[in-house]
Amino acid sequence: MSGDRYKQKHLPPSPSAPLERPEPGDVAQIQAVHYSGPLPHPSLLAKYNELIPNGAERIMAMAERQSAHRESLEKRVVNGNVANQTRGSYFAFILALVSILCGVFLIHEGKSGEGLAAIITSVGGLVSVFFYSKREQRKERVEKAAALQSRRSQ
């Protein structure tokens, strides 16, 4: 029976309960604080020390470990992308070289039309990839500049 009394005493008011109207002249103040980042607000960080021994120090160490972990992952991704691009360039060079050498061999064997076609298509492929990549880089620079400009204007 005592549990029922507890539930009845500590229930929040029902939504249909009438709200108290403020009196004329009453003042209400609302304050909102927004803090963004990997660490709590400095005032909250100080309170952690009161609740947990070395709480602020432990939170700082956790944030430092997380930051180091994220940086190491980003470094691995960047290094992997660079290695993939380098490897791709080497393979493209070898493929183009083999194609050109095959074209030269065909010309030497008297099949000048086929040899010339092999040389022109391999060189044309290299040139088209070069111009395509330059155009994409230029487009990316323009997009980044526009994004940077919009951030500055805000």
Side-chain angles (χ1 to χ4, degrees):
M1 191 69 168
S2 62
D4 292 335
R5 224 176 327 151
Y6 175 79
K7 287 178 185 175
Q8 289 173 358
K9 269 186 174 176
H10 295 88
L11 287 176
S14 67
S16 61
L19 298 174
E20 292 182 25
R21 300 225 180 253
E23 296 293 324
D26 283 353
V27 177
Q29 181 179 3
I30 299 174
Q31 180 180 5
V33 176
H34 175 74
Y35 187 78
S36 176
L39 296 172
H41 191 273
S43 63
L44 292 175
L45 198 58
K47 290 181 182 178
Y48 275 102
N49 268 341
E50 296 170 8
L51 296 173
I52 303 168
N54 293 330
E57 182 67 31
R58 290 167 57 188
I59 290 173
M60 293 293 290
M62 179 186 63
E64 290 168 355
R65 284 192 312 270
Q66 177 63 29
S67 177
H69 174 68
R70 183 177 301 264
E71 288 171 6
S72 71
L73 287 178
E74 289 173 357
K75 186 177 182 179
R76 287 180 64 184
V77 167
V78 168
N79 289 340
N81 288 341
V82 168
N84 285 339
Q85 289 174 350
T86 303
R87 194 176 311 118
S89 296
Y90 288 151
F91 288 152
F93 173 75
I94 291 169
L95 185 63
L97 187 63
V98 166
S99 179
I100 291 171
L101 289 176
C102 287
V104 169
F105 175 75
L106 287 172
I107 291 173
H108 180 269
E109 293 295 314
K111 298 181 179 176
S112 59
E114 293 89 351
L116 193 58
I119 292 172
I120 289 173
T121 54
S122 63
V123 171
L126 289 175
V127 169
S128 65
V129 166
F130 175 77
F131 283 120
Y132 176 77
S133 67
K134 287 296 180 184
R135 186 180 66 184
E136 289 298 313
Q137 286 174 354
R138 188 177 307 118
K139 189 164 76 170
E140 186 177 337
R141 281 195 305 266
V142 167
E143 288 172 358
K144 285 183 180 180
L148 184 64
Q149 185 65 26
S150 69
R151 284 187 203 143
R152 286 183 183 165
S153 65
Q154 290 178 348

